[in-house]
Amino acid sequence: MAVLKIAKLGTPTLRQVAQVVPPDKIGQRSFQQFIDDMLETMEAAEGIGLAAPQVFQSEQVTVMECKGEEGFPLTILINPQIVGFSPVSAEGWEGCLSIDGLRGRVKRAVGVRVKFLDRDGKSHELDATGLYAVCIQHELDHLQGRVFLDRMSDMSTLTQLEEFEKYWRTEHAEVI
Ligand code: NI
């Protein structure tokens, strides 16, 4: 296992559409190792989600986990596709491991249905709501070369981390 270097905003990989993973690659030891490395990197960075382009790999892979009451289980999505959005949206604070020290408010669907392959190459569909749904949308954006800044409708909510903690943290506790 290894902690991988995280690509920061400006890295071309973060702006590319990631490649679909060929199903016969999923069982390969090097690919399984890569997933484990992504999990270790996410944990070391104290993030709740990480997409392969954020570790310089242009592949359709993302991992996420959020421990605690408001959280969601460890989830590994390969070649994910959102196949349904709830009609209702809500705005919440987002940040990103590839964008140091910034938070901004982003409007997202409150629920999504996502189709994906797991790390055994099996196909699944998953319904997610709340923070889980927001995280899935944020991470799948990374696979399309998008970051949360692109999704902000009002850039005036952009705040640096220290000011977020000082002025905004208590109002909305959930942060991706
Ligand atoms: Ni991110």
Side-chain angles (χ1 to χ4, degrees):
M1 302 257 280
V3 173
L4 306 170
K5 184 175 158 63
I6 293 178
K8 301 294 178 175
L9 191 65
T11 303
T13 318
L14 287 174
R15 291 314 201 165
Q16 293 162 1
V17 177
Q19 300 287 312
V20 170
V21 180
D24 60 355
K25 185 180 178 179
I26 295 173
Q28 290 175 11
R29 183 178 289 192
S30 59
F31 186 78
Q32 292 292 320
Q33 181 67 55
F34 175 62
I35 290 173
D36 288 336
D37 289 348
M38 281 186 70
L39 293 171
E40 194 177 348
T41 303
M42 175 173 70
E43 193 168 341
E46 296 180 352
I48 62 170
L50 185 71
Q54 293 184 276
V55 289
F56 300 86
Q57 287 291 320
S58 193
E59 289 189 301
Q60 298 269 342
V61 185
T62 176
V63 300
M64 59 197 79
E65 180 177 31
C66 183
K67 291 169 184 158
E69 233 173 83
E70 305 269 300
F72 49 82
L74 175 64
T75 306
I76 297 161
L77 306 177
I78 300 166
N79 299 342
Q81 281 184 299
I82 294 179
V83 293
F85 290 94
S86 67
V88 179
S89 295
E91 209 178 60
W93 289 103
E94 295 189 25
C96 182
L97 293 175
S98 294
I99 303 169
D100 290 337
L102 289 177
R103 297 275 184 266
R105 289 179 69 74
V106 183
K107 202 173 173 185
R108 304 275 194 188
V110 298
V112 291
R113 172 170 289 182
V114 62
K115 191 178 170 190
F116 63 98
L117 301 178
D118 67 15
R119 70 181 299 170
D120 297 319
K122 286 191 193 128
S123 184
H124 297 272
E125 276 193 20
L126 163 74
D127 288 311
T129 58
L131 187 62
Y132 199 8
V134 170
C135 189
I136 287 171
Q137 291 170 82
H138 178 117
E139 298 312 325
L140 266 62
D141 269 355
H142 278 302
L143 303 182
Q144 298 300 319
R146 291 195 202 98
V147 298
F148 79 89
L149 300 172
D150 308 331
R151 295 289 192 189
M152 290 178 63
S153 54
D154 180 1
M155 294 300 282
S156 74
T157 65
L158 198 63
T159 174
Q160 299 199 136
L161 200 51
E162 196 178 318
E163 285 67 27
F164 173 77
E165 298 292 344
K166 187 174 173 185
Y167 298 112
W168 304 104
R169 166 67 88 178
T170 51
E171 191 184 323
H172 294 276
E174 284 184 4
V175 176
I176 179 181

